Amino acid sequence: MTSTRSIGKFEYKKPGSLRTTLRILSNKGADARILAGGTDLIPQIKQGQISPSLVLDVKNVPELNRLDWNEDRGLRIGAAVPLSKLLTFVAISERYSILAQACSVIGSMQIRNRGTIGGNICNAAPSADSAPALLCLGARAIVASKNGNRKINLDDFFMAPGKTSIGADELLVEIEVPTPPAHSAGCYMRHTTREEMDIAVAGVASFLTIAPRSKKLKEVRIALGAVAPTPLRVHGAEALLIGKSVTERIIEEVAEEAAEEAKPISDIRASAEYRRELVKVLTRRTLWKSCEMLGIEIQR
Amino acid sequence: MAKYSVVGKRIPRIDALSKVTGTAIYSGDVTLPDMLYGKVCRSPHAHAIIRRLDVTKARSLEGVMAVITASDVPGYKNRSPLLLVEMPHLAQEKVVYAAQPVAVVAATSIEIAEKAVGLIEVEYEELPPVLDVLESMKPETPPIYPDLYTNFIARPPTDKDSKPSNIAYHISVNRGDLEAGFREADLIIENTFRTQPIHHGYLEPFAAVAKADVNGKVTIWTQTQGVFTARQMIAEFLGLPPTQVKLVPVEIGGAFGGKSYLPLAPLCALLAMKTGRPVRMEMSRDEVLRDGRPAPGSVTTIKIGVTKKGYITAASATFIYDAGGFPEMSHTMFVRGNTFSQYKIPNIKIEAFDVLTNTVPVTYYRAPSTPQSHFAIESQMDLISRALGMDPLQFRIQNSTAEGDTTPSGEILPKVGFKETLERMAEYLRQKGSLQGENRGRGVACGFWHGAAGSFGAYVNVNIDGTVTLVIGVTDVSGSRTSIAQIVAEEFGIPMEAVSIVVGDTDTAPWSSPSVGSQTIYSLSHAVYRACQDAKDQLRRLASPRLGVPASEIEFANGQAIFKGDTQKSIPLAALGRSSLGFRGEGPIVGRGSIAGLPPAPSVAVHAVDVEVDKETGKVKVLSYAVAQDVGLAINPMSIEGQIQGAVTQGIGWALMEGYVFDRGKVQNTTFLDYRMPTATDVPMIDTMLVEVGSTTGIYGLRHVGEPPMVGTLAAVANAIHSATGVRLKTLPMTPEAILKGIKKQGKS
């Protein structure tokens, strides 16, 4: 049960440089919360879930507003780039359709105008829509502190609901997404009770790379949302497909294995049993759709 | 309708511009100098005895100006609080639902008020909560109140054998010979249907601002569906004569029946009286969902018998409504007039119960009790037509009532377009053709609303520029000002722009019943019509000597009083308005009109919906939706279409996704994320067909329109899901998970 109340007193800072931001974090990181779009942070403060003594607004930090792409380095998304801006970036729709698809269903238009992809992953909700797509794309989080930068593979990023591997003195600067290899495709599908402005009851992203001649699968990534304490890849299910030609039967086995690997809970949105069923259905559907995108004919 | 020039036109709402530009004033916008802020301390338990309640610490906090508890409420002296209706019930010896108010604080800031609430010390002794109506009804279940007897609230019946009960109200109806009726039947089907408590989902949370003046008169700004009834109820709570309380109308951000309840205004007024300073109170969305009253959940068992040819021979039904923690808002009282009235049923038995539980008390929501009862009735009608292999609309047409038939309540039906509306839908579906595609299905259902009528007054002033001002005491919850302005414009033969409407406060406006039961336009139009005729008679008397024609030969058009025999003989209303004030005038032209005791003009709405069900996830997509409704006469078709589309959208939410989730009586989903209402992406364009079978009692033949379109939605959607999947769901909401469970179970059997 959530109960909104008036917000308690806190210090608000809006530094204009990364250096200042990191200096503040090195001193007061433990009591600070980062504000970008605020679409998760402000409701959490209002509902009394957190009461930071310092709110650090990072929207004026230039490094966090970067948005660019090149073939070699891939896509670099500043942590404070609003989702709606990301969605209008040409490279996204041309090369990262799975990410565009996932980000376009987050919240509502108003939320996407404020909310950021950095916030979506740092909030570390199991249901974060961008996470399964980013996991499939092999994204890395670039994290900075006074002592320097480090890269975290997204596979090692999510620790628990609301918890990431970012330290108290560290800041997510950008997300790096490698350019997807040739002959690859994937998609994200989720189930919500309401069509829009809802939170995923279960979400699945699948991403396939094929060997062009043999049409066998070279690389397979399947990631789930809202069915475990964190967004997660289902390595067992992925392994069943690697090096194989796609058949209806294998897809079915993979879907069942993905459902097996999920660790869903029952809550007011759905039962664990139903969530597991959804993982099966959505895994199957994303695989079929991905094959269709790649022009693979599935053997029946 | 060629015979009218403004009535029947599609006119945008006159309040639309101020609302979309944000300039309209709502309760929460009212600010007064030196204003204090109030906050409610609520019970964390669904059922508990209050062992100790200590407000000393809260009172001594700097900035706290008053803390009140039940012992401060004048209206509670020598009277059971069970008799105070639609009020917040400040707990006395015990709390009967989670979130029940226990104390209220006024402080110089909202932060201080919240802090003070945290300092209030309450020791509870928890009691086992009664959460299920069937459990609560059992004689061995301890009664929640020692002084509540069925149909005798807070005053024991003289019959010495009666015992207190959790059944607040019980009605029964018996007509004909039920046993004989069922013996005549070739097919008898019996089922039990359940619905969940549901929230209205109005956008605007509750708010109130109150001040007490030096003479002790209390003025209150708050959203309410009826300023005069609110005045009466608040005056009783405060122990003041009604005219010592003044309600000032403000705009209402959605009501749907939920804003007759006054959860803040009386508390706010009492705090203003105690402190001598203005006080504002507002609810958060969380508070609205915990203590803004829902529509009741229900359990209905229904049995219908038919002949092979599809004629109903007998029906019996038991309707049980979950009243929550207080008995005041009875739903059984609507059952008699609103169930089984659309079908000829010679033998019938109805039982209805309002049953108390330790959950949030309920209130009325768009056709109270009736969507729930029709979910059962119209699902059952669908099951029977399937069993008989009959077209569901033909089955209904064949059994529909006609003028002069007696309803279960014993009332003789006036003319209602049952057949016309059903046939209109049948024709629509014939033209549309049958539904193609896998996992798709069509459902139809029929909804009836008996309607209500109230007492209303109206004044009209004809101004010196020929414009007309109407003064009423009706708060506008559904576009009523626009439709009423159309009637005034029609009657005076002036354009819409020449009509202005003032919704007065309770000191200046004529008495009005609340805007409930779809009675507003239906009843108010009589008072307004009469006020118009009164003013027109005065205008005729002024015009007659000037035109040299008899007063009875004068009519009104194009802003003029005109001689019927020669339209060249005319005089502008402006000239008459001015001359009324002159030496030869009779003084200002003021028309007045009143109405009471009008018989209702029942209405029927027929629904048809096409859905597609995802057989692997259970998710329903509503493909198309159509409603045909007998509206009598559409004053403003656009406004009625909006009403129908809004009602259907609310009904789709009720059917598919909405519902309170309780844990030991405490509401768990107190945000609009998890109290899930449909958005525009969940509903298709809703087609509307306005059938105009004029009523004999409404001005121009109009009928009640706001509530009827809600009634049939739940069953229509359930029937469509059955068509698409073969799965019959008898419990709402029909979530994807529930539907999938049904599909899987079916696969096994």
Side-chain angles (χ1 to χ4, degrees):
Chain A
M1 196 154 58
T2 54
S3 169
T4 47
R5 55 178 66 86
S6 40
I7 296 177
K9 282 207 164 77
F10 59 79
E11 199 185 349
Y12 171 80
K13 285 189 174 166
K14 193 173 186 179
S17 78
L18 185 59
R19 232 181 103 186
T20 317
T21 310
L22 296 178
R23 199 183 59 232
I24 296 168
L25 278 176
S26 78
N27 296 328
K28 295 186 177 168
D31 308 318
R33 293 305 281 248
I34 306 296
L35 172 72
T39 58
D40 284 312
L41 185 75
I42 290 169
Q44 285 166 6
I45 296 176
K46 278 190 172 178
Q47 288 162 9
Q49 292 165 14
I50 52 169
S51 41
S53 58
L54 170 64
V55 169
L56 196 55
D57 188 335
V58 294
K59 282 196 285 291
N60 278 0
V61 178
E63 288 84 346
L64 272 69
N65 286 295
R66 168 184 296 160
L67 179 59
D68 54 42
W69 175 82
N70 67 53
E71 186 78 45
D72 299 339
R73 197 143 172 210
L75 182 66
R76 298 169 70 189
I77 312 165
V81 172
L83 289 159
S84 57
K85 191 177 167 194
L86 177 66
L87 285 166
T88 56
F89 189 53
V90 177
I92 292 279
S93 47
E94 283 176 353
R95 294 164 197 274
Y96 297 87
S97 67
I98 183 172
L99 185 60
Q101 206 191 343
C103 291
S104 68
V105 297
I106 296 174
S108 60
M109 178 68 82
Q110 291 90 334
I111 294 290
R112 290 191 295 273
N113 284 339
R114 299 289 301 173
T116 64
I117 197 166
N120 196 236
I121 64 166
C122 286
N123 186 53
S127 59
D129 287 301
S130 71
L134 288 171
L135 284 167
C136 278
L137 291 167
R140 291 179 291 269
I142 312 291
V143 168
S145 74
K146 215 179 76 179
N147 307 319
N149 287 5
R150 67 182 178 116
K151 280 189 188 185
I152 310 173
N153 276 334
L154 219 62
D155 290 306
D156 307 318
F157 186 82
F158 301 107
M159 307 303 284
K163 287 219 165 57
T164 68
S165 52
I166 299 183
D169 63 337
E170 289 182 315
L171 177 71
L172 175 70
V173 178
E174 60 180 48
I175 299 162
E176 208 178 70
V177 195
T179 302
H183 311 293
S184 66
C187 63
Y188 173 69
M189 291 183 189
R190 64 172 193 171
H191 175 83
T192 51
T193 303
R194 182 160 60 195
E195 198 56 37
E196 286 186 10
M197 303 221 272
D198 207 345
I199 281 185
V201 174
V204 177
S206 293
F207 196 78
L208 307 177
T209 309
I210 52 167
R213 289 220 188 119
S214 66
K215 298 272 182 199
K216 285 187 177 164
L217 291 170
K218 217 162 85 181
E219 207 177 327
V220 177
R221 287 183 179 235
I222 303 170
L224 315 181
V227 291
T230 64
L232 86 164
R233 280 184 49 199
V234 281
H235 297 283
E238 291 175 355
L240 289 177
L241 271 175
I242 293 171
K244 303 274 172 58
S245 301
V246 188
T247 66
E248 200 176 333
R249 210 172 122 200
I250 288 188
I251 288 186
E252 212 48 47
E253 280 171 28
V254 172
E256 274 172 29
E257 174 58 27
E260 200 61 32
E261 285 181 69
K263 303 176 195 72
I265 55 162
S266 292
D267 62 12
I268 59 172
R269 292 178 192 145
S271 72
E273 187 191 359
Y274 182 61
R275 283 197 160 100
R276 212 179 274 284
E277 181 67 28
L278 287 173
V279 170
K280 193 168 92 181
V281 173
L282 297 175
T283 302
R284 183 201 303 135
R285 289 180 181 180
T286 53
L287 288 173
W288 275 84
K289 176 82 186 163
S290 303
C291 288
E292 188 192 311
M293 291 165 85
L294 286 166
I296 304 177
E297 256 187 55
I298 297 165
Q299 299 160 28
R300 296 189 184 251
Chain B
M1 286 275 137
K3 68 186 210 204
Y4 302 118
S5 55
V6 189
V7 160
K9 294 281 180 302
R10 309 171 64 84
I11 292 175
R13 281 171 66 152
I14 54 181
D15 50 326
L17 188 63
S18 71
K19 284 179 174 167
V20 298
T21 54
T23 54
I25 301 292
Y26 293 85
S27 317
D29 295 322
V30 177
T31 300
L32 299 173
D34 292 328
M35 196 164 73
L36 301 174
Y37 299 84
K39 192 78 195 165
V40 177
C41 169
R42 299 179 180 281
S43 164
H45 305 296
H47 198 194
I49 296 169
I50 296 176
R51 286 294 175 209
R52 191 173 73 92
L53 172 57
D54 188 347
V55 300
T56 357
K57 277 188 193 156
R59 237 178 222 145
S60 57
L61 183 69
E62 175 80 34
V64 170
M65 308 307 280
V67 182
I68 56 173
T69 63
S71 60
D72 299 297
V73 179
Y76 290 177
K77 306 275 189 290
N78 312 317
R79 176 174 25 194
S80 167
L82 295 181
L83 297 171
L84 285 175
V85 298
E86 302 189 62
M87 295 278 105
H89 291 288
L90 268 174
Q92 305 197 52
E93 294 85 18
K94 67 187 238 178
V95 290
V96 296
Y97 69 96
Q100 184 175 353
V102 173
V104 197
V105 174
T108 49
S109 76
I110 187 67
E111 290 79 13
I112 295 171
E114 282 167 4
K115 199 169 171 193
V117 164
L119 294 174
I120 294 170
E121 293 172 8
V122 197
E123 268 176 36
Y124 296 97
E125 180 187 325
E126 276 191 76
L127 298 171
V130 186
L131 302 172
D132 175 70
V133 283
L134 301 179
E135 194 63 33
S136 181
M137 287 174 86
K138 288 180 182 163
E140 64 268 27
T141 304
I144 295 171
Y145 296 101
D147 58 345
L148 189 147
Y149 300 81
T150 305
N151 297 343
F152 287 88
I153 307 302
R155 49 193 167 91
T158 44
D159 169 14
K160 290 280 177 250
D161 294 334
S162 348
K163 287 191 177 124
S165 168
N166 288 333
I167 300 170
Y169 293 97
H170 171 215
I171 60 131
S172 50
V173 173
N174 286 288
R175 286 190 51 233
D177 184 339
L178 194 72
E179 295 308 313
F182 280 123
R183 276 198 301 275
E184 278 173 51
D186 298 310
L187 171 72
I188 297 170
I189 295 185
E190 181 169 3
N191 279 299
T192 297
F193 297 86
R194 287 181 167 80
T195 70
Q196 76 285 27
I198 210 88
H199 180 57
H200 311 68
Y202 37 75
L203 282 178
E204 179 204 23
F206 283 104
V209 174
K211 69 162 192 180
D213 71 17
V214 284
N215 300 314
K217 183 158 181 166
V218 180
T219 304
I220 299 159
W221 292 258
T222 196
Q223 67 278 72
T224 171
Q225 289 179 241
V227 283
F228 288 92
T229 39
R231 177 182 73 171
Q232 181 69 30
M233 294 188 284
I234 295 169
E236 281 179 32
F237 187 88
L238 300 175
L240 292 175
T243 48
Q244 277 294 92
V245 176
K246 177 169 134 185
L247 261 285
V248 184
V250 277
E251 293 294 346
I252 301 181
F256 312 108
K259 285 177 178 166
S260 296
Y261 174 43
L262 296 157
L264 299 177
L267 304 176
C268 200
L270 190 52
L271 288 171
M273 286 167 72
K274 291 266 173 198
T275 58
R277 285 171 65 172
V279 179
R280 174 199 278 173
M281 294 183 76
E282 282 177 281
M283 271 187 172
S284 63
R285 184 70 65 194
D286 170 76
E287 282 180 294
V288 169
L289 281 155
R290 286 191 293 144
D291 191 27
R293 302 183 166 191
S298 66
V299 181
T300 301
T301 299
I302 181 168
K303 183 173 162 185
I304 297 180
V306 287
T307 63
K308 270 183 225 147
K309 289 190 167 165
Y311 288 95
I312 302 173
T313 60
S316 67
T318 304
F319 301 97
I320 302 166
Y321 295 93
D322 185 345
F326 280 88
E328 58 205 41
M329 307 301 281
S330 170
H331 281 70
T332 66
M333 68 182 237
F334 295 98
V335 168
R336 215 192 298 259
N338 286 300
T339 50
F340 296 115
S341 294
Q342 68 265 46
Y343 303 120
K344 277 186 209 286
I345 306 175
N347 308 293
I348 199 157
K349 179 180 167 68
I350 297 172
E351 302 271 347
F353 300 90
D354 288 304
V355 178
L356 295 170
T357 58
N358 292 115
T359 55
V360 56
V362 301
T363 192
Y364 302 144
Y365 177 28
R366 213 164 186 169
S369 85
T370 314
Q372 293 97 323
S373 61
H374 279 66
F375 171 55
I377 295 168
E378 291 296 302
S379 293
Q380 186 80 352
M381 290 295 281
D382 195 65
L383 286 166
I384 293 169
S385 65
R386 279 168 200 277
L388 292 170
M390 276 184 83
D391 175 82
L393 276 180
Q394 287 311 317
F395 174 53
R396 286 171 171 87
I397 291 169
Q398 173 175 314
N399 285 287
S400 71
T401 36
E403 186 176 358
D405 284 348
T406 308
T407 68
S409 63
E411 191 184 334
I412 306 297
L413 270 177
K415 181 149 188 56
V416 184
F418 293 113
K419 251 203 169 97
E420 292 85 346
T421 311
L422 283 158
E423 280 169 356
R424 179 73 189 276
M425 180 56 84
E427 180 52 34
Y428 169 87
L429 293 178
R430 258 194 300 279
Q431 284 183 12
K432 194 173 182 192
S434 62
L435 182 62
Q436 306 294 326
E438 258 184 81
N439 304 327
R440 292 181 168 192
R442 176 171 293 167
V444 300
C446 174
F448 175 84
W449 177 245
H450 178 264
S455 322
F456 292 86
Y459 319 133
V460 296
N461 299 319
V462 179
N463 303 313
I464 53 169
D465 56 359
T467 64
V468 174
T469 304
L470 173 72
V471 182
I472 51 174
V474 177
T475 45
D476 184 349
V477 297
S478 57
S480 55
R481 273 172 296 191
T482 309
S483 302
I484 283 296
Q486 285 179 258
I487 293 173
V488 174
E490 184 70 44
E491 287 307 314
F492 283 98
I494 54 177
M496 274 294 277
E497 302 74 52
V499 179
S500 60
I501 298 198
V502 176
V503 178
D505 60 49
T506 52
D507 282 1
T508 55
W511 167 274
S512 290
S513 290
S515 297
V516 297
S518 304
Q519 70 181 5
T520 310
I521 295 299
Y522 178 69
S523 298
L524 176 65
S525 59
H526 274 271
V528 170
Y529 183 84
R530 288 176 182 182
C532 292
Q533 304 318 314
D534 185 6
K536 281 157 73 177
D537 285 345
Q538 296 168 40
L539 287 168
R540 286 190 183 100
R541 283 202 299 276
L542 278 168
S544 168
R546 285 174 173 73
L547 298 176
V549 302
S552 59
E553 294 302 303
I554 293 171
E555 61 185 7
F556 299 88
N558 304 319
Q560 316 258 339
I562 304 169
F563 174 45
K564 285 180 195 168
D566 174 6
T567 53
Q568 296 301 313
K569 287 190 176 176
S570 68
I571 180 167
L573 292 193
L576 291 174
R578 279 194 300 275
S579 73
S580 70
L581 307 176
F583 185 66
R584 286 163 59 202
E586 295 181 11
I589 299 159
V590 182
R592 58 162 290 277
S594 290
I595 185 73
L598 198 62
S603 176
V604 64
V606 181
H607 298 234
V609 53
D610 291 347
V611 304
E612 183 175 299
V613 179
D614 183 329
K615 282 207 162 167
E616 292 183 329
T617 65
K619 190 164 167 173
V620 174
K621 185 172 173 60
V622 182
L623 301 171
S624 63
Y625 206 113
V627 178
Q629 182 175 331
D630 177 11
V631 299
L633 177 130
I635 301 289
N636 185 343
M638 190 158 77
S639 173
I640 297 178
E641 288 160 11
Q643 288 267 10
I644 293 173
Q645 291 165 337
V648 167
T649 305
Q650 288 182 314
I652 288 174
W654 192 337
L656 295 178
M657 59 184 87
E658 293 181 38
Y660 279 59
V661 179
F662 291 103
D663 179 23
R664 288 175 49 83
K666 295 172 206 170
V667 183
Q668 298 300 296
N669 48 342
T670 64
T671 65
F672 277 160
L673 175 58
D674 280 315
Y675 185 91
R676 209 166 260 94
M677 298 194 299
T679 73
T681 55
D682 298 292
V683 291
M685 182 63 195
I686 295 156
D687 286 335
T688 56
M689 289 166 268
L690 308 185
V691 178
E692 294 186 318
V693 177
S695 76
T696 52
T697 45
I699 297 291
Y700 312 118
L702 64 88
R703 293 181 188 276
H704 315 284
V705 297
E707 280 156 307
M710 181 79 158
V711 176
T713 318
L714 311 180
V717 175
N719 297 344
I721 291 171
H722 187 160
S723 299
T725 61
V727 175
R728 171 57 57 173
L729 289 160
K730 298 174 198 159
T731 299
L732 298 183
M734 299 176 283
T735 59
E737 187 164 359
I739 294 169
L740 187 66
K741 205 173 263 177
I743 291 170
K744 293 207 156 187
K745 204 167 134 191
Q746 191 188 39
K748 278 175 196 156
S749 62

